[in-house]
Amino acid sequence: MNTKHPILLCLLAVLATLLPESAAAAAEPVAVTSEYARRHYTTQDGLPQMLAEYIWQDAKGYIWIGTLGGFVRYDGFEFIPYLKGKQENILSFCPGTDGSLWALGFRRKHVVDKEGTMQTLPLNGRGLLLNNLNAYSLPPGLVLLEDEQERGREICRLTAEGAKTLLKSPALDSMDLRRRVYLDSISQTFYIPTANLVYRIKTDGTFLAPIVVAESYSLLRDGPRLYLFAADGIHEVNGHHTRLVAAYRFRTPDYGVAACADRKGNIFIHDAHNLYRLSKDGTVRHIVDGINLIRHMYIDREGNLWLATYQGVYNFFQLNFVNHRLSDHNDILRAIAEDAQGRLLAGTLNGRLLCGQNAAEMRPIPYPHEADNYFLPRTARIGSTTYLLGMGDVLACDNNGRHWLGLPQLNYQFLSSHGDSLLVATRQALYVTDAHGHILQAHEGLRGVFCACPDGDGNLYAGTAYGVVRLRGRERRDIALPDSSVSCTAMTVNPYGEILFASGENLYTVRNDSAVLVQSYGSPIRSVHQTRDNFLIVGVTDGLYITDNRLLQTMFFNQYNGFTGIEPLAAHIAETSDGTVWVPCVNQTVSFHPHELVYQYTTPRLELLSAQASADNVNWHPAPPSTDGLIHLPHGLRNLRFSYIAISHSATENVRYRYRLKGFQEQWSQPQTGREVQFNNLPPGRYRLEVTALLGNISSDTIGVDILLQPAFWQHGWFWLVVALGLGSGIWTLAYTYYKRRDRRKMDELQREIKLNNLLVKSIRLKSIPHFNANVLAGIEYFIMNHSVEEANKYLSLYSRFTNTLLMDVDKPSRSISDEIEYISLYLSLEQLRYGESLSYHISLAPDVSSGTQVPNMILHTYCENAVKHGLRNKPGNGHIDIEVTTRPGGINIAVTDDGVGREAAATFSTSSTKQGLSIMEQQIELYNQRNDEHIIQTVTDLKTPEGRACGTRFELFVPSHYKYF
């Protein structure tokens, strides 16, 4: 026996285990993996649990999802949870008889009414449990109930009172977890699959001949055909006979096989981990794998395919987008093109060249290249030759092989075709070459070339970092752009030969060498392509816009409705002969058929979610309609806010809304994506809010609500009548009061003037004191007799000026502080004639005191006369008077200080003193103060020595600025 071969085999096996994984991977050719785009909802999106059981769509379009931890309602934007935080397994949904929704658990049903409030009730009164695995194919409202031992099964219809039995049969107990009972609504027959046959029982309980098909799982009717899904494939049922229409072995029927049909005629089938499609031609295609335990499959009214799994919920939309990636995750597809034989050619970032009849068959093919070559996302085709832009040259691929054109080694960034010529550009120049790479024309001196495209009139346009340049022969002309600082990054030509170019977020066309805005997209444009059947494809940084130019309908696609590519590249968008469009993105390449995306969508159902009112735009209150259908609001709630939604799970961000508030604005608003509108400071009246939803070129039914904003009580006619009467009587009363007060005021003024005049007369009498005049004249006579005539004339002149001033100003209520000081100087000088050196005085006027400031007339005379007469006359020795005028905030301060015997001692010396001067002055000041808001303030201070003996008196007077005396 030769033992070398077994030993050699063992050594080879050991060596194989020691080989690094990279070497094993290197032996496998790089391929393209393709999968349908999907959106995966998890607990991070709002699901209460990853273990999802059931999916259902209500009449309004909301998607309801049952999980192990309660259930949620999804409107395309957010999940609204119910039973949050509770471990309640929701296995099914069905509509209630009163417009409510019933969420069904094993033992309970949770009823959600129209307002969204929920109450929990027993599922039935007999203690039976809900069977979920065998009942997924039953229509809504029918359930399969069983006892604790999973026996005694019966099919029941749920009612508000409980559960009504429709069928109870031992055949139901023979189903294991892989079978699903089915009710055919046309034949009114229950089909109960088992391991060996399918029982048929009419709804009235009549048994029919069974169908003998081993390992049957479930059934589905699609139009006139009834399909049976079994272990050996798909059968068409006709009575108790079947015909195998598609032989197929499902990969993982651990929990059976179930199916549902879309409106396009496709039947989708799932087992535990895989998704299949039965096409119209009878072929079964495996389309999705690797999903952890599919529990339920649902196709909504728009054709979106939903899966409830133990990995959350998947939305495959309508299986319109396909994502393509390389099996080598360190490389990406960048350039896609179709050759003359209808095969796909693709260049990758790492320099691979792939070819295949379709994406699944694409494999690397050889071509002459350096090790560090790469392909840019630019391709072109002339005749039977396809061109790809590589590192410093262009690769030509045709029936004879693949070769480089041999262009000058430059850093080329752009490639396109122009008739039988190629357009190849660096950042500084644009070259026109023939199909073999011979340069026919060079346009140099361009600044930052990004793209180029010919129009239908023989012009060539180049997009640069500084705008667009039109080239025609040797002529070169700049196209005027609104913002020349924004680069032109993409170009295409429409079926009418007009250039369309992208600059920033805007798409322009050219009219008379000027840019004309076509549309603004709100995000930077990365690529533009015009398809052969007149679809405009615009790739922006956050999604894809597709416009059907025939229907003038634009739809936006992003991760919320199927386009999951991250940021389309500034690249050539390829279009194959079957109309498939290929968009290279940063993470993958996405393919789709535009005509399957922009079509007549299902009309969305519009719903008014809430109406709120507020008085201050801060605190909002619900404003539900009353029984008459009107929203009645009091006058204070003048701010209204409404929210609404039209649910579309395949066009989430394409729904636009228009509204108008009749009675306030009769014209419809511009379509917008916002789902809320607010009106502020509405006047009282009756209004009607009308809202309609637009999806492409279709619109929903208009919904409306009437609002009655009540007027305030002062806005009623009777109120204005009362106001008019009140105003009339009020005006009469005011006029009467005014004239009466005016007469009284005039009388008070007259009395005040009489009193003031009397005080002035008394003041004149007081100031014209006979003994003072006699003393002064006697003093002058003494000077005439005993001194020089000049001294006598001096004092006679002083006396004359004093008397003249007294007589001229005695009837004035006030005079300037300078005149008052001049007058008091005359008075004190005359008093010195009498008292000689025993009387001295000092006058101080602060520099910041305005000399024109008005003060009460003879105020200093009154104070100084009082000081001489009562303070200094009775004092032995010399006496001194100090006069100070200073400023204070808001006015001036006048102070007269003497060092006499004080008021208390003066009263003992002169018992006959009447103090009329001070009294008259106080009365005058009181009269003056009655005319002013700010008052003159007078204070008198008795000065004392530290031992407590009187040593003088200080008079102070505060006079406010701008004080009025008459």
Side-chain angles (χ1 to χ4, degrees), residues 288-512:
V288 177
D289 62 4
I291 297 179
N292 183 15
L293 194 52
I294 302 173
R295 301 292 285 172
H296 185 232
M297 178 170 61
Y298 186 81
I299 296 178
D300 65 20
R301 288 191 294 275
E302 300 173 62
N304 299 304
L305 179 65
W306 300 78
L307 295 181
T309 76
Y310 276 11
Q311 292 177 316
V313 173
Y314 292 89
N315 182 2
F316 284 86
F317 304 101
Q318 298 168 23
L319 299 174
N320 290 328
F321 290 98
V322 182
N323 299 329
H324 308 277
R325 298 183 181 91
L326 290 173
S327 57
D328 180 2
H329 299 305
N330 296 318
D331 201 359
I332 62 171
L333 294 170
R334 300 187 79 190
I336 302 288
E338 184 183 41
D339 66 10
Q341 288 74 39
R343 297 174 302 178
L344 290 176
L345 277 175
T348 74
L349 176 65
N350 293 340
R352 290 187 177 97
L353 181 65
L354 290 84
C355 182
Q357 199 64 40
N358 52 52
E361 297 177 4
M362 291 178 70
R363 295 294 184 272
I365 57 175
Y367 71 98
H369 68 284
E370 302 293 335
D372 57 350
N373 182 56
Y374 57 83
F375 286 104
L376 284 84
R378 301 291 181 180
T379 66
R381 181 176 164 185
I382 300 177
S384 61
T385 305
T386 304
Y387 301 87
L388 288 85
L389 183 60
M391 184 181 68
D393 205 347
V394 174
L395 181 68
C397 305
D398 55 23
N399 295 331
N400 299 322
R402 292 159 288 279
H403 63 277
W404 297 97
L405 294 184
L407 295 173
Q409 286 291 322
L410 299 173
N411 184 19
Y412 298 107
Q413 299 293 320
F414 176 78
L415 172 66
S416 183
S417 60
H418 176 14
D420 293 333
S421 305
L422 289 177
L423 301 176
V424 187
T426 67
R427 282 290 181 251
Q428 290 77 33
L430 174 63
Y431 301 98
V432 181
T433 76
D434 62 13
H436 305 290
H438 302 120
I439 297 177
L440 305 177
Q441 192 174 8
H443 300 279
E444 297 180 336
L446 300 173
R447 298 181 296 172
V449 180
F450 287 101
C451 55
C453 185
D455 67 1
D457 296 328
N459 299 302
L460 180 61
Y461 290 85
T464 73
Y466 298 92
V468 179
V469 179
R470 180 172 65 83
L471 306 170
R472 190 180 183 95
R474 296 183 178 275
E475 180 186 358
R476 180 180 299 182
R477 183 178 294 246
D478 293 332
I479 303 300
L481 275 171
D483 185 359
S484 60
S485 64
V486 181
S487 304
C488 173
T489 54
M491 279 187 177
T492 190
V493 61
N494 66 17
Y496 311 106
E498 297 175 329
I499 286 291
L500 299 174
F501 65 89
S503 180
E505 300 177 351
N506 301 322
L507 186 69
Y508 298 91
T509 188
V510 178
R511 297 279 192 279
N512 299 323

Side-chain angles (χ1 to χ4, degrees), residues 33-185:
T33 60
S34 302
E35 61 180 14
Y36 287 101
R38 67 192 76 174
R39 188 175 182 193
H40 187 196
Y41 303 96
T42 67
T43 51
Q44 293 179 343
D45 300 295
L47 288 179
Q49 271 274 357
M50 290 291 285
L51 277 65
E53 290 278 1
Y54 198 83
I55 299 174
W56 186 72
Q57 186 179 33
D58 65 15
K60 296 178 180 179
Y62 293 102
I63 293 292
W64 296 83
I65 302 170
T67 74
L68 189 63
F71 61 102
V72 293
R73 188 191 74 180
Y74 182 56
D75 62 4
F77 296 93
E78 61 178 341
F79 291 91
I80 304 299
Y82 294 84
L83 298 174
K84 188 174 183 180
K86 296 183 179 180
Q87 290 297 318
E88 177 79 3
N89 198 355
I90 301 301
L91 308 171
S92 183
F93 297 98
C94 68
T97 56
D98 56 353
S100 60
L101 175 118
W102 296 352
L104 308 179
F106 282 113
R107 300 177 183 272
R108 291 173 288 272
K109 67 178 178 182
H110 308 277
V111 181
V112 181
D113 61 21
K114 296 178 181 179
E115 286 71 35
T117 58
M118 185 186 70
Q119 62 172 332
T120 300
L121 302 171
L123 186 63
N124 63 90
R126 294 178 290 160
L128 296 178
L129 305 180
L130 182 68
N131 174 300
N132 61 317
L133 294 176
N134 303 117
Y136 278 136
S137 296
L138 289 175
L142 298 188
V143 295
L144 181 63
L145 300 182
E146 61 189 11
D147 59 21
E148 296 279 357
Q149 289 74 38
E150 299 182 0
R151 310 294 294 174
R153 293 171 177 170
E154 55 186 76
I155 297 175
C156 301
R157 183 181 302 278
L158 291 180
T159 65
E161 293 76 23
K164 179 182 178 182
T165 301
L166 300 181
L167 176 67
K168 186 174 183 180
S169 170
L172 293 172
D173 295 338
S174 62
M175 291 188 299
D176 59 26
L177 55 82
R178 294 186 294 176
R179 325 295 170 185
R180 299 189 180 187
V181 60
Y182 181 77
L183 173 61
D184 181 25
S185 59

Side-chain angles (χ1 to χ4, degrees), residues 578-839:
D578 63 351
T580 304
V581 172
W582 301 74
V583 179
C585 301
V586 170
N587 62 330
Q588 60 196 10
T589 294
V590 181
S591 66
F592 56 89
H593 290 83
H595 64 273
E596 293 182 356
L597 296 171
V598 184
Y599 61 90
Q600 198 74 12
Y601 280 82
T602 303
T603 303
R605 177 172 174 174
L606 184 60
E607 178 189 9
L608 182 66
L609 296 179
S610 67
Q612 295 176 304
S614 173
D616 54 8
N617 273 328
V618 176
N619 301 302
W620 291 90
H621 311 281
S626 58
T627 55
D628 60 358
L630 274 172
I631 295 178
H632 294 267
L633 296 173
H635 171 73
L637 301 177
R638 301 175 57 195
N639 306 303
L640 302 180
R641 183 169 66 189
F642 302 91
S643 60
Y644 37 79
I645 190 171
I647 299 173
S648 174
H649 297 285
S650 59
T652 305
E653 296 192 3
N654 288 296
V655 180
R656 302 288 189 271
Y657 301 90
R658 295 188 308 164
Y659 61 86
R660 63 180 177 181
L661 188 64
K662 299 184 73 173
F664 181 71
Q665 61 179 48
E666 300 299 323
Q667 300 297 322
W668 287 98
S669 68
Q670 291 297 317
Q672 58 186 24
T673 57
R675 294 179 288 121
E676 186 176 279
V677 62
Q678 183 171 324
F679 302 96
N680 295 323
N681 298 319
L682 290 174
R686 182 161 182 161
Y687 303 94
R688 177 173 176 80
L689 174 72
E690 293 183 345
V691 184
T692 184
L694 305 174
L695 181 54
N697 59 354
I698 63 174
S699 61
S700 69
D701 293 334
T702 299
I703 63 171
V705 61
D706 293 297
I707 308 104
L708 180 60
L709 186 57
Q710 300 285 355
F713 66 89
W714 63 81
Q715 294 174 316
H716 290 277
W718 59 263
F719 174 79
W720 290 109
L721 179 60
V722 172
V723 167
L725 293 175
L727 283 176
S729 60
I731 291 172
W732 182 87
T733 302
L734 288 174
Y736 174 79
T737 304
Y738 169 75
Y739 286 111
K740 188 173 181 179
R741 288 183 178 179
R742 187 188 66 176
D743 294 341
R744 184 183 303 160
R745 189 164 50 250
K746 287 183 178 181
M747 185 62 68
D748 291 343
E749 288 287 337
L750 183 59
Q751 291 177 355
R752 189 181 296 113
E753 290 180 5
I754 293 173
K755 189 175 181 180
L756 188 58
N757 290 333
N758 291 334
L759 290 173
L760 289 174
V761 171
K762 291 182 180 180
S763 177
I764 294 171
R765 291 174 181 172
L766 186 65
K767 297 301 182 289
S768 303
I769 302 172
H771 67 266
F772 170 75
N773 292 325
N775 290 337
V776 172
L777 293 175
I780 294 173
E781 181 182 7
Y782 172 78
F783 271 95
I784 293 173
M785 298 296 296
N786 298 297
H787 296 278
S788 65
V789 176
E790 288 78 5
E791 288 291 328
N793 288 335
K794 172 184 175 183
Y795 283 104
L796 185 59
S797 176
L798 286 175
Y799 178 70
S800 174
R801 288 172 56 197
F802 172 78
T803 305
N804 183 62
T805 301
L806 174 65
L807 295 176
M808 291 292 293
D809 295 343
V810 72
D811 60 340
K812 295 180 180 178
S814 67
R815 60 183 167 189
S816 66
I817 187 64
S818 60
D819 292 341
E820 187 69 16
I821 290 176
E822 181 182 0
Y823 174 77
I824 199 60
S825 299
L826 295 174
Y827 169 74
L828 292 176
S829 298
L830 292 174
E831 286 287 8
Q832 282 182 328
L833 176 64
R834 176 183 176 189
Y835 290 99
E837 295 179 355
S838 62
L839 173 64

